[in-house]
């Protein structure tokens, strides 16, 4: 009997995470001197800062839940599909956590020009997942994964559907 196909340990995760981290850092670094017209101040700055802190703070527990509580590494090694814990709320909690953290950091920078990056990050994540990991998982787990996809959002955490 041929060995069961196995997902790569890291998949495309390092590509996604390193790309959005670099773009976030570069955007924040360049925004103030190069795009001063986008700077906000006063109440708007405080609102963006609060929202930024909230999003970044939400990313931490999501990342912890995916890596530590759900023990995703163990599931990858044993080739089992994870659908419980934070994976019941979002299919890609690790990537979603970095999306939230980077979006929070961009909001904290207080420059409206940087708000083009979070939608770009979301589009990049969506295209990357559809072209890679989702195809791999569908080939490996078939109907079980297809049903999971119908119940759980790709990258925006939400209350599980019944």
């Amino acid at each position: 009997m041929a060995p069961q196909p196995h997902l790569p340990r890291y998949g495309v995760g390092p590509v996604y995470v390193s790309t959005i981290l670099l773009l976030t850092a570069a955007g924040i670094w360049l925004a103030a001197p190069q795009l001063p017209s986008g700077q906000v101040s006063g109440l708007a700055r405080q609102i963006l800062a609060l929202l930024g802190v909230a999003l970044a703070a939400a990313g931490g527990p999501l990342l912890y839940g995916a890596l530590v509580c759900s023990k995703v590494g163990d599931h990858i090694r044993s080739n089992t599909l994870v659908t419980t814990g934070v994976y019941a709320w979002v299919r890609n909690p690790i990537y979603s956590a970095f999306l939230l953290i980077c979006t929070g950091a961009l909001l904290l920078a207080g420059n409206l020009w940087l708000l083009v990056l979070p939608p770009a990050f979301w589009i990049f994540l969506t295209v990357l997942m559809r072209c890679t990991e989702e195809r791999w998982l569908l080939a490996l787990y078939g109907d079980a994964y297809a049903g999971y996809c119908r119940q759980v959002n790709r990258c925006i955490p939400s209350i599980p559907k019944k």
Side-chain angles (χ1 to χ4, degrees), residues 72-121:
V72 70
D74 293 346
H75 290 280
I76 291 170
R77 279 189 291 283
S78 66
N79 220 21
T80 55
L81 182 63
V82 187
T83 60
T84 59
V86 294
Y87 286 86
W89 293 72
V90 62
R91 291 196 314 255
N92 298 289
I94 296 169
Y95 307 142
S96 297
F98 280 99
L99 176 63
L100 289 170
I101 292 166
C102 289
T103 299
L106 292 167
L107 291 173
L108 280 166
N111 191 306
L112 296 177
W113 290 108
L114 295 176
L115 299 183
V116 302
L117 289 174
F121 295 165

Side-chain angles (χ1 to χ4, degrees), residues 6-153:
H6 201 285
L7 291 175
R9 174 134 173 96
Y10 296 105
V12 295
V15 171
Y16 177 73
V17 171
S18 61
T19 300
I20 71 168
L21 286 173
L22 285 171
L23 287 173
T24 298
I28 292 169
W29 183 65
L30 291 172
Q34 300 299 322
L35 301 167
S37 64
Q39 288 298 124
V40 294
S41 59
L43 181 61
R45 175 72 182 230
Q46 292 173 345
I47 291 170
L48 284 179
L50 274 171
L51 187 55
V53 167
L55 288 176
L62 190 58
L63 188 60
Y64 181 81
L67 294 173
V68 178
C69 298
S70 293
K71 298 179 182 172
V72 70
D74 293 346
H75 290 280
I76 291 170
R77 279 189 291 283
S78 66
N79 220 21
T80 55
L81 182 63
V82 187
T83 60
T84 59
V86 294
Y87 286 86
W89 293 72
V90 62
R91 291 196 314 255
N92 298 289
I94 296 169
Y95 307 142
S96 297
F98 280 99
L99 176 63
L100 289 170
I101 292 166
C102 289
T103 299
L106 292 167
L107 291 173
L108 280 166
N111 191 306
L112 296 177
W113 290 108
L114 295 176
L115 299 183
V116 302
L117 289 174
F121 295 165
W122 177 80
I123 290 168
F124 180 38
L125 176 60
T126 299
V127 170
L128 193 62
M129 291 302 97
R130 290 182 86 179
C131 293
T132 59
E133 288 187 10
E134 289 182 4
R135 287 184 182 180
W136 302 337
L137 291 164
L138 188 58
L140 189 57
Y141 301 114
D143 290 340
Y145 183 69
Y148 173 61
C149 289
R150 284 190 294 275
Q151 298 298 314
V152 180
N153 288 333

